[in-house]
Amino acid sequence: DVKVTQSSRYLVKRTGEKVFLECVQDMDHENMFWYRQDPGLGLRLIYFSYDVKMKEKGDIPEGYSVSREKKERFSLILESASTNQTSMYLCASRWTAGEAFFGQGTRLTVV
Amino acid sequence: DQQVKQNSPSLSVQEGRISILNCDYTNSMFDYFLWYKKYPAEGPTFLISISSIKDKNEDGRFTVFLNKSAKHLSLHIVPSQPGDSAVYFCAARTSGNTPLVFGKGTRLSVIA
């Protein structure tokens, strides 16, 4: 079974903090993705990565950065958390073709 | 500009009946389409997919239909069960190594 694991289920951070969301996959997938899900807006792509040390901006990259130093790990970084970044964050991975597999999600609240 | 549209935010169906969830897309370069199911506080799980060379794909109670000329796909669930109550996302991508583009989702409620 493919496993995509996100480091936290729930997280509460203060405005201005630097926040790290970690994601690890165990299937040697080349591609990894970060989405956020908000009510009425669906899943929106923040960043993705095709390979180690490679990254591409998605639709809403502002206020975020990513790191992929190892194939199995893809980190999302909120440089200075703001209340409008309160959301459900979803990590996914897949091979070049086929479906993407998602982690369980991290519900981030910025206060 | 939204490339994948799910125009019904919610749908309510009686247990045992058919659920039909619809999805429209605007990008004619999309060639692979997927449906995901999501429960609250969990990540989406893959349900079924279809490539543009087909017009139908079945997996148990789930069938996806693709109408390329209308740029429309639908997910049929027969028979619907209370455990099917969830948010369903339609997704699509172009050929090559490209990310999935998701619709906004439809919340399905199956009433016993």
Side-chain angles (χ1 to χ4, degrees), chain B residues 6 21-23 34-36 46-48 64 73 75 89-90:
Chain B
Q6 294 178 257
L21 295 98
N22 293 303
C23 178
L34 307 88
W35 285 94
Y36 282 82
F46 169 73
L47 263 182
I48 192 167
V64 56
L73 65 154
L75 175 69
F89 290 99
C90 173

Side-chain angles (χ1 to χ4, degrees), chain B residues 91-110:
Chain B
R93 67 179 178 89
T94 58
S95 61
N97 204 5
T98 57
L100 293 175
V101 179
F102 284 84
K104 293 185 177 182
T106 296
R107 180 176 302 279
L108 173 66
S109 300
V110 180

